[in-house]
C-alpha cells in the first residue's frame, strides 16, 4: 500500500484548502483512512478519520465544524476539506490507512501500518 498526499500550500486565515490522498492497492477500499498533522516543534496529532464505508467519521475538537473528511472508494482516495483556516492549522498533514477504524481514530491502541509522505499547509494571519 502506498499513499500520496497532495493539495497543501499557503492560505490566508479564514481561507480554504482541500487535501487529497490517493492510495494504491484495492485493499485500501476496505480500510479506514485518516488525516494527522504535525506542527513545528510539536508531536503528530490526529485530525480526522473515516471508516471504510464512509458511514463513520471522527474529528479532533479544534477542527470540528471547519474540516470535512470524505472518501471515494472507486478512486481509493480520501479528502480533507479545510475551511475557516487558522494560523494554528499550520502543519505538515499526513494521510494514513489501516484495517482498524478505532486505531485510526485514536479510540484504540495499535499501530497504523501505512502513511503518506505529508503535505505542508501554511496559514498566514
Amino acid at each position: 500500500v502506498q499513499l500520496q498526499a497532495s493539495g497543501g500550500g499557503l492560505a490566508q486565515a479564514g481561507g480554504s484548502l482541500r487535501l487529497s490522498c490517493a492510495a494504491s492497492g484495492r485493499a485500501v477500499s476496505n480500510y479506514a483512512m485518516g488525516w494527522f498533522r504535525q506542527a513545528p516543534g510539536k508531536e503528530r496529532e490526529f485530525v480526522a478519520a473515516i471508516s471504510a464505508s464512509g458511514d463513520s467519521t471522527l474529528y479532533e475538537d479544534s477542527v470540528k465544524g471547519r474540516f470535512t473528511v470524505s472518501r471515494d472508494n472507486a478512486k481509493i482516495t480520501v479528502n480533507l476539506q479545510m475551511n475557516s483556516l487558522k494560523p494554528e492549522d499550520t502543519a505538515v498533514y499526513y494521510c494514513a490507512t489501516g484495517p482498524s477504524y478505532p486505531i485510526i481514530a485514536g479510540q484504540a491502541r495499535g499501530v497504523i501500518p501505512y502513511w503518506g509522505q505529508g503535505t505542508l499547509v501554511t496559514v498566514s494571519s
Side-chain angles (χ1 to χ4, degrees):
V1 173
Q2 292 186 329
L3 302 173
Q4 181 71 42
S6 62
L10 177 64
Q12 291 188 332
S16 299
L17 284 173
R18 182 177 177 87
L19 305 183
S20 293
C21 178
S24 65
R26 288 300 309 175
V28 179
S29 63
N30 295 315
Y31 287 179
M33 302 187 80
W35 288 95
F36 297 76
R37 66 187 179 186
Q38 186 167 19
K42 295 186 177 181
E43 294 187 352
R44 187 168 56 194
E45 66 174 1
F46 167 78
V47 176
I50 186 166
S51 63
S53 66
D55 290 344
S56 297
T57 57
L58 188 69
Y59 297 91
E60 192 270 330
D61 285 347
S62 71
V63 308
K64 284 180 181 177
R66 301 189 298 122
F67 290 10
T68 302
V69 62
S70 62
R71 66 187 294 161
D72 182 337
N73 281 340
K75 297 179 180 179
I76 320 179
T77 59
V78 61
N79 303 302
L80 186 68
Q81 178 66 42
M82 305 186 294
N83 298 329
S84 302
L85 284 163
K86 302 176 180 181
E88 50 264 43
D89 295 320
T90 295
V92 176
Y93 283 71
Y94 299 89
C95 59
T97 189
S100 172
Y101 175 72
I103 292 175
I104 294 287
Q107 297 172 324
R109 290 181 178 270
V111 175
I112 298 175
Y114 305 109
W115 292 86
Q117 85 289 0
T119 185
L120 177 62
V121 171
T122 303
V123 183
S124 63
S125 59

